[in-house]
């Protein structure tokens, strides 16, 4: 693997500051989610070398900062460059759209980005298909599973390893 450790730490620190006190649905500091997504991407890059590892890992670490914090794409561009800002923007759902439409719209924008950006989306959903929070109802769980199938079908070509892991998680999810 060849990625910049300095850049990785810069992105991790940026994400930690941006997410601040935000927690995951099970109450962990949000940076645990972000780090888990980066770890999934790293494992895939090790198994399937090639591609822009810095782009993949930095987008993984920053993938939720625009959607979940006040961070603007222009701030990402200033700190990490245009490709990262464009990648994170594609990974950000448009809040003006209804839920299913917003996911489809984001997936369409991800498809127009380098494959590294699609890898981040696959890794994000692998991470999010851990056992659902106890308060989630059956309909919400099955909708979330259906959305994961759409992600695997739409973006799976970006990484055979991540697509296989996502399909494994889908098969086990909510059982
Ligand atoms: Ni996420």
């Amino acid at each position: 693997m060849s990625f910049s450790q300095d850049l990785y730490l810069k992105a991790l620190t940026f994400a930690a500051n941006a997410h601040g006190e935000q927690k995951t649905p099970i109450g962990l500091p949000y940076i645990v989610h972000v780090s888990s997504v980066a770890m999934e991407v790293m494992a895939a890059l090790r198994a399937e070398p090639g591609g822009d590892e810095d782009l993949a890992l930095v987008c993984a670490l920053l993938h939720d900062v625009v959607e979940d914090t006040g961070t603007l794409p222009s701030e990402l561009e200033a700190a990490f460059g245009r490709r990262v800002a464009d990648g994170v923007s594609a990974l950000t759902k448009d809040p003006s759209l209804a839920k299913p439409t917003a996911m489809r719209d984001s997936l369409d924008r991800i498809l127009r980005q380098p494959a590294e950006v699609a890898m981040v989306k696959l890794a994000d959903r692998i991470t999010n298909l851990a056992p659902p929070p106890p308060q989630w109802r059956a309909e919400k769980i099955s909708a979330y599973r259906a959305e994961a199938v759409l992600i695997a079908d739409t973006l799976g070509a970006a990484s055979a390893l991540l697509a296989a892991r996502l399909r494994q998680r889908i098969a086990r999810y909510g059982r």
Side-chain angles (χ1 to χ4, degrees):
M1 293 197 63
S2 68
F3 61 93
S4 161
Q5 290 168 267
D6 290 341
L7 192 57
Y8 188 98
L9 189 58
K10 180 181 171 185
L12 180 66
T13 304
F14 188 103
N17 284 325
H19 287 289
E21 296 299 305
Q22 188 184 354
K23 298 284 193 282
T24 71
I26 57 165
L28 293 169
Y30 204 78
I31 202 70
V32 174
H33 166 67
V34 163
S35 300
S36 301
V37 174
M39 178 270 290
E40 285 288 344
V41 169
M42 205 178 283
L45 290 169
R46 198 178 50 195
E48 303 167 330
D52 185 336
E53 297 184 357
D54 286 325
L55 179 66
L57 292 171
V58 171
C59 282
L61 292 166
L62 298 172
H63 76 275
D64 278 331
V65 297
V66 173
E67 187 161 300
D68 292 347
T69 79
T71 305
L72 300 171
S74 58
E75 296 174 80
L76 290 183
E77 184 170 351
F80 298 99
R82 180 70 188 274
R83 297 180 82 213
V84 168
D86 286 352
V88 174
S89 294
L91 291 159
T92 303
K93 289 194 280 301
D94 181 343
S96 74
L97 299 175
K99 232 179 167 214
T101 318
M103 174 58 73
R104 186 70 253 182
D105 169 70
S106 174
L107 293 177
D108 288 344
R109 288 182 287 118
I110 290 168
L111 283 171
R112 295 198 291 271
Q113 292 291 313
E116 289 83 352
V117 178
M119 290 175 71
V120 173
K121 187 67 192 179
L122 293 167
D124 183 41
R125 191 51 64 108
I126 291 166
T127 303
N128 286 340
L129 286 187
Q135 70 271 23
W136 278 27
R137 300 167 61 91
E139 307 84 79
K140 180 157 180 172
I141 290 170
S142 74
Y144 204 66
R145 185 196 290 111
E147 208 177 68
V149 171
L150 175 66
I151 292 168
D153 289 348
T154 309
L155 305 178
S159 163
L161 184 133
L162 290 172
R165 271 179 72 73
L166 179 53
R167 291 194 192 281
Q168 261 171 22
R169 286 277 169 102
I170 290 167
R172 288 204 310 251
Y173 185 64
R175 299 262 153 78

